[in-house]
Amino acid sequence: MEEKYFSIKFSNEKLIFLDQTKLPLVEDYFETDDYERIARAIERLEMRGAPLIGVAACYGLALSIKNYSKESTEENFYKAYERLARTRPTAVNLFTALNEIKKVFEQNKDSEDIYNIVLSKAIEFHQDDINKCKMMGEYGSKIFKKKSTVLTHCNTGKLATAGDGTAFSVIKNGYEKGLVGHVYADETRPLLQGLRLTSYELERSGIPFSIQTDSSAAVLMQKGKIDIVITGADRIALNGDSANKIGTYNLAVLCNFHNIPFYIAAPTTTIDRNIASGDEIEIEFRHQEELLSVNGHRIAPAHYKAFTPAFDVTPSHLISGIITEEGIFNFPYNFLK
Ligand code: MRU
């Protein structure tokens, strides 16, 4: 099936995005020029995935100063900055993006053309993510042998980035070179990014795949069906500890037990150069309702207590390699260099 969808587009002074909460059954694009709507879309996971929320936030900041008088521009910019920074705490790409735009704003705030200057930076950040995805795919495909069977978790493709994805770009590039034969996609409880989004992307890229419950990964490995596991990341500490969708750490431990390589693919915008280890990563906890319901249908009483971390941290010694747009890094990681 041909790929015809996009996660995000800036056109006619508006941000157009695909509402990922409705996929794969409904393809609904939404357009807005309101940063508050962009912030809500990030919170509600209409747009999600670490690199994508960074790009969306850049456009949010640009739009926050589109129609304002010179006097109110600064106030609006900082209001939007604070609002967008409050949406999700774990993916550092969001903060990297917001801070890059803030720097450009502060250097040019007296210019009559401040909106266009900030918008150009947002477009540059967007294009940069597309390029980084491509380079990760190029470097990353070296990890596969012929017709490898790959297991992945959550969603890391076009829907999670502005380009072809992180781990997904590596898989896609490997598939196009005949190095990937089949992909097992974890369903990724509770919000089913694997079942709903990764399958959507795999199908549109023509890559053979199966879906399984997260808890089936162990038996697949035990039966020798998995050659390699690759996921994305939401924040990587200087020592290589990596936060990603809840359940990623389980996979890394399982790979270690079964002697299967476990890789992470992420752009350098996912590296947090201010933290030494994963202990310092703030983990987002989602609303309990997301676990106690499926697709809006209650499956357990509302008063049940639920443990709802959205991410876990995989210690770097369990990671065989981290694929970035600059190449593949191996343990011991030291991203300060
Ligand atoms: O909660 P989500 O859907 O935003 O989580 C996304 C992930 O965990 C991805 O694996 C991650 O952002 C890295 S790949 C783009």
Side-chain angles (χ1 to χ4, degrees):
M1 202 185 287
E2 211 190 325
E3 293 186 52
K4 273 196 179 140
Y5 62 101
F6 61 86
S7 55
I8 209 170
K9 196 189 264 183
F10 194 80
S11 176
N12 292 330
E13 310 292 307
K14 287 198 169 106
L15 185 70
I16 309 169
F17 63 86
L18 179 56
D19 179 352
Q20 300 188 28
T21 61
K22 297 183 180 152
L23 287 175
L25 300 177
V26 179
E27 280 181 16
D28 203 0
Y29 288 90
F30 196 93
E31 58 173 59
T32 183
D33 59 1
D34 176 8
Y35 79 81
E36 172 57 32
R37 182 65 187 87
I38 294 173
R40 268 187 284 129
I42 295 173
E43 283 168 345
R44 295 189 61 239
L45 310 192
E46 288 167 76
M47 285 185 275
R48 30 74 42 211
L52 186 70
I53 63 178
V55 175
C58 289
Y59 286 119
L61 281 185
L63 290 167
S64 77
I65 54 170
K66 188 172 78 160
N67 290 325
Y68 288 93
S69 65
K70 203 165 180 348
E71 296 68 49
S72 55
T73 293
E74 199 162 344
E75 188 189 333
N76 278 301
F77 182 88
Y78 287 111
K79 224 166 93 188
Y81 177 96
E82 296 300 332
R83 174 69 183 100
L84 289 158
R86 275 199 315 274
T87 52
R88 299 193 74 190
T90 303
V92 78
N93 312 58
L94 173 68
F95 305 98
T96 311
L98 288 171
N99 289 333
E100 278 206 26
I101 298 286
K102 186 164 101 172
K103 204 159 84 195
V104 168
F105 177 79
E106 287 173 350
Q107 283 161 354
N108 298 281
K109 64 181 175 211
D110 296 326
S111 164
E112 291 293 331
D113 208 21
I114 184 66
Y115 165 64
N116 283 313
I117 293 171
V118 169
L119 180 60
S120 301
K121 182 68 193 173
I123 293 168
E124 184 190 312
F125 198 88
H126 185 165
Q127 186 56 47
D128 221 45
D129 189 56
I130 296 173
N131 299 341
K132 286 182 164 78
C133 289
K134 194 167 173 332
M135 291 312 294
M136 277 183 276
E138 283 296 329
Y139 283 121
S141 62
K142 295 186 182 73
I143 63 174
F144 303 118
K145 302 212 170 73
K146 214 167 181 276
K147 294 267 174 228
S148 295
T149 301
V150 184
L151 188 144
T152 190
H153 191 67
C154 196
N155 170 260
T156 64
K158 224 164 153 177
L159 295 168
T161 63
D164 263 350
T166 58
F168 194 92
S169 176
V170 175
I171 293 170
K172 192 173 168 206
N173 193 297
Y175 176 72
E176 285 162 1
K177 291 179 175 149
L179 301 172
V180 169
H182 193 90
V183 176
Y184 283 94
D186 272 354
E187 63 167 350
T188 317
R189 275 284 284 154
L191 294 175
L192 305 174
Q193 287 94 330
L195 175 69
R196 297 185 304 103
L197 309 177
T198 302
S199 58
Y200 178 89
E201 301 202 294
L202 286 163
E203 185 173 31
R204 274 152 190 78
S205 300
I207 303 174
F209 69 97
S210 322
I211 304 286
Q212 70 286 340
T213 59
D214 300 343
S215 47
S216 302
V219 75
L220 280 170
M221 292 184 193
Q222 187 185 42
K223 292 194 178 302
K225 297 228 185 265
I226 305 298
D227 295 316
I228 193 161
V229 173
I230 176 164
T231 74
D234 285 76
R235 190 183 292 234
I236 301 175
L238 287 175
N239 70 347
D241 292 352
S242 299
N244 191 49
K245 180 55 58 197
I246 190 72
T248 303
Y249 172 47
N250 305 33
L251 290 176
V253 172
L254 284 172
C255 281
N256 192 255
F257 183 80
H258 291 97
N259 209 11
I260 293 170
F262 173 85
Y263 280 88
I264 293 250
T268 49
T269 42
T270 305
I271 300 169
D272 185 343
R273 296 182 191 278
N274 297 313
I275 59 169
S277 83
D279 296 344
E280 295 171 68
I281 299 177
E282 183 182 345
I283 298 294
E284 175 183 13
F285 278 74
R286 299 287 303 178
H287 200 282
Q288 301 200 3
E289 197 54 34
E290 290 181 354
L291 184 61
L292 302 175
S293 296
V294 170
N295 255 353
H297 297 291
R298 165 156 302 291
I299 52 167
H303 67 273
Y304 279 13
K305 284 198 175 65
F307 177 59
T308 58
F311 302 97
D312 55 28
V313 177
T314 298
S316 58
H317 67 92
L318 295 179
I319 304 171
S320 313
I322 298 181
I323 301 158
T324 74
E325 77 281 5
E326 292 173 4
I328 305 181
F329 295 84
N330 297 104
F331 186 80
Y333 303 96
N334 181 357
F335 289 112
L336 258 190
K337 281 184 208 149

